[in-house]
Amino acid sequence: LAKTTQPISMDSYEGQEVNITCSHNNIATNDYITWYQQFPSQGPRFIIQGYKTKVTNEVASLFIPADRKSSTLSLPRVSLSDTAVYYCLVVPKGNSGYSTLTFGKGTMLLVSP
Amino acid sequence: DTAVSQTPKYLVTQMGNDKSIKCEQNLGHDTMYWYKQDSKKFLKIMFSYNNKELIINETVPNRFSPKSPDKAHLNLHINSLELGDSAVYFCASSQDRGSGKSSYEQYFGPGTRLTVT
């Protein structure tokens, strides 16, 4: 499994755009890049997933360069409620319909007023 | 409507006891998982069941025994509880997307905080 490296913590203010970068130098051809969000005392929640280039949904954008050795989760105009831990995961595509998620330490994002 | 539910939310018990945590999902998913999040916040997979069959069994003491009575339920029974078992246990589920697909989108329950004294 490809190992991921991301900052332990980040600080931001309300209304700012936050970019969290994750390194995954050993990513394999069949691996997807996936981000989860975890609030205190809750289970992780899927945010976004991508394979290459750019993916955008109602919550975030995910930028993946051509070499796929890193990815950047972009949160536009964060609010206090975006304070959470954000996990970057590399998930094998595999031949089965199920996957094991390997969570790292994540990035603790603190949004201040 | 709760997608993945767990009971109990909190569980305090003494060393040596046997306890169970229940999990139910109403999403119609084929695969269910148990994860353990320790005091350092590391989240690790323990077990995975696909259509009631065990498919993933990580290095977990055999005091932990998952049971899946049907596709919507995955319970976790723990025998002879130890202090080190104190953690938050999360149940999750995902849809079997078929051959060649990756079930990267897993739905997690609210967690069960187990405290062993």
Side-chain angles (χ1 to χ4, degrees), chain A residues 3-5 11-13 16 25 45 47 49 51 54 60 69 76 86 94 108:
Chain A
K3 181 181 176 181
T4 59
T5 303
D11 295 324
S12 182
Y13 293 97
Q16 289 189 336
N25 292 319
R45 183 176 75 105
I47 301 177
Q49 173 266 346
Y51 185 79
K54 176 183 175 182
K69 293 184 182 298
Y86 292 83
M108 175 64 216

Side-chain angles (χ1 to χ4, degrees), chain A residues 30 32-34 36 38-46 48-50 85 87 89 91-106, chain B residues 9-10 31 33 35 37 41-45 48 50 55-56 58 90 94-111 113:
Chain A
N30 289 338
Y32 286 83
I33 299 155
T34 309
Y36 276 74
Q38 185 176 23
F39 297 113
S41 301
Q42 293 187 26
R45 183 176 75 105
F46 171 83
I48 198 167
Q49 173 266 346
V85 177
Y87 295 96
L89 296 90
V91 185
K93 184 178 182 180
N95 295 319
S96 60
Y98 43 83
S99 296
T100 299
L101 300 183
T102 301
F103 288 83
K105 297 181 181 180
Chain B
K9 187 169 177 61
Y10 300 96
T31 307
Y33 313 79
Y35 288 83
Q37 189 166 40
K41 303 299 183 183
F42 286 113
L43 194 61
K44 297 182 180 179
I45 182 74
S48 178
N50 179 260
I55 53 173
I56 295 173
E58 293 297 312
F90 288 101
S94 67
Q95 180 62 45
D96 186 341
R97 297 173 183 267
S99 177
K101 299 294 184 180
S102 174
S103 293
Y104 47 79
E105 187 170 356
Q106 295 185 10
Y107 292 78
F108 283 77
R113 181 174 294 277

Side-chain angles (χ1 to χ4, degrees), chain A residues 3-76:
Chain A
K3 181 181 176 181
T4 59
T5 303
Q6 51 184 122
I8 293 176
S9 64
M10 293 183 68
D11 295 324
S12 182
Y13 293 97
E14 282 189 293
Q16 289 189 336
E17 178 184 77
V18 172
N19 295 309
I20 306 175
T21 298
C22 177
S23 297
H24 27 78
N25 292 319
N26 297 324
I27 191 167
T29 303
N30 289 338
D31 289 340
Y32 286 83
I33 299 155
T34 309
W35 286 79
Y36 276 74
Q37 173 192 56
Q38 185 176 23
F39 297 113
S41 301
Q42 293 187 26
R45 183 176 75 105
F46 171 83
I47 301 177
I48 198 167
Q49 173 266 346
Y51 185 79
K52 60 181 179 180
T53 63
K54 176 183 175 182
V55 179
T56 297
N57 61 23
E58 65 277 6
V59 177
S61 293
L62 179 60
F63 298 92
I64 305 170
D67 65 5
R68 303 197 333 120
K69 293 184 182 298
S70 67
S71 60
T72 299
L73 175 73
S74 181
L75 304 172

Side-chain angles (χ1 to χ4, degrees), chain B residues 15-91:
Chain B
M15 286 176 56
N17 286 347
D18 303 337
K19 291 293 179 184
S20 292
I21 306 173
K22 295 184 177 181
C23 177
E24 177 181 2
Q25 55 96 1
N26 62 5
L27 299 167
H29 287 169
D30 298 301
T31 307
M32 296 185 71
Y33 313 79
W34 275 110
Y35 288 83
K36 177 182 179 180
Q37 189 166 40
D38 59 24
S39 57
K40 296 183 178 180
K41 303 299 183 183
F42 286 113
L43 194 61
K44 297 182 180 179
I45 182 74
M46 299 175 68
F47 302 101
S48 178
Y49 269 72
N50 179 260
N51 283 316
K52 299 194 299 176
E53 291 190 15
L54 181 66
I55 53 173
I56 295 173
N57 185 351
E58 293 297 312
T59 306
V60 177
N62 56 15
R63 297 182 295 103
F64 290 78
S65 54
K67 285 186 171 51
S68 182
D70 55 59
K71 203 171 74 168
H73 296 83
L74 181 61
N75 304 323
L76 183 65
H77 188 76
I78 315 171
N79 289 326
S80 303
L81 279 156
E82 301 177 356
L83 292 177
D85 297 332
S86 294
V88 181
Y89 293 84
F90 288 101
C91 177

